[in-house]
Amino acid sequence: MLAACQKEPTAMTLPDPPAPIVRPAEYAFGDHIASAEEHLVGQIDQSLRGRFDKPVEAHLSAPAETDFAAVRRWYGERAEGWQALPDVEAVARAGGGQGFGFARDGQAFVMLWLAPDAAKGASPVTILRYGKPG
């Protein structure tokens, strides 16, 4: 009887990105890039804060040759049941970077990155995972 009442577990968030995007041991982009990344994250956070709670941030790194269009498609294939957040792309561009996002059930997943040339051979990548507002 108890087993009949249990629901199948569902993934409430999208996964971390595939290789070659990695979590570096330390932030190696310098103060200028860190400031640009912080500005970009702030712009996105400001646009989403009314709909979602404070995000959990993950700072990653991607080689300059990373095909972010392919990464976006990879997430699109895994985002069944999630709705695209089209405003993320426009806000990211206005904030000096690029990005995309998805939302579902009061949660959001956003991936942002700066242009590879801004980081001399690599792109800083930030993932924001938003939960339901408190």
Side-chain angles (χ1 to χ4, degrees), residues 11 24 100 126:
F100 60 89
T126 303

Side-chain angles (χ1 to χ4, degrees), residues 69-103:
V71 172
R72 185 187 309 248
R73 285 190 302 275
W74 187 86
Y75 273 106
E77 293 167 1
R78 285 152 182 79
E80 186 176 331
W82 292 72
Q83 299 298 312
L85 291 170
D87 51 329
V88 167
E89 189 172 343
V91 172
R93 269 195 311 273
Q98 297 181 40
F100 60 89
F102 297 96

Side-chain angles (χ1 to χ4, degrees), residues 32-44 68 87-99 111-119 122-126:
H32 178 72
I33 299 300
S35 178
E37 187 176 24
E38 186 176 314
H39 173 74
L40 177 59
V41 168
Q43 295 296 306
I44 295 295
F68 283 103
D87 51 329
V88 167
E89 189 172 343
V91 172
R93 269 195 311 273
Q98 297 181 40
M111 177 182 262
L112 307 167
W113 61 93
L114 295 175
D117 58 341
S123 296
V125 177
T126 303

Side-chain angles (χ1 to χ4, degrees), residues 16-76:
D16 284 339
I21 300 172
V22 298
R23 187 178 309 256
E26 62 183 45
Y27 192 85
F29 293 107
D31 292 342
H32 178 72
I33 299 300
S35 178
E37 187 176 24
E38 186 176 314
H39 173 74
L40 177 59
V41 168
Q43 295 296 306
I44 295 295
D45 187 50
Q46 185 176 12
S47 75
L48 296 178
R49 186 54 69 91
R51 293 182 271 172
F52 304 100
D53 202 1
K54 184 177 178 174
V56 173
E57 291 183 35
H59 297 278
L60 308 164
S61 179
E65 65 275 2
T66 300
D67 181 353
F68 283 103
V71 172
R72 185 187 309 248
R73 285 190 302 275
W74 187 86
Y75 273 106

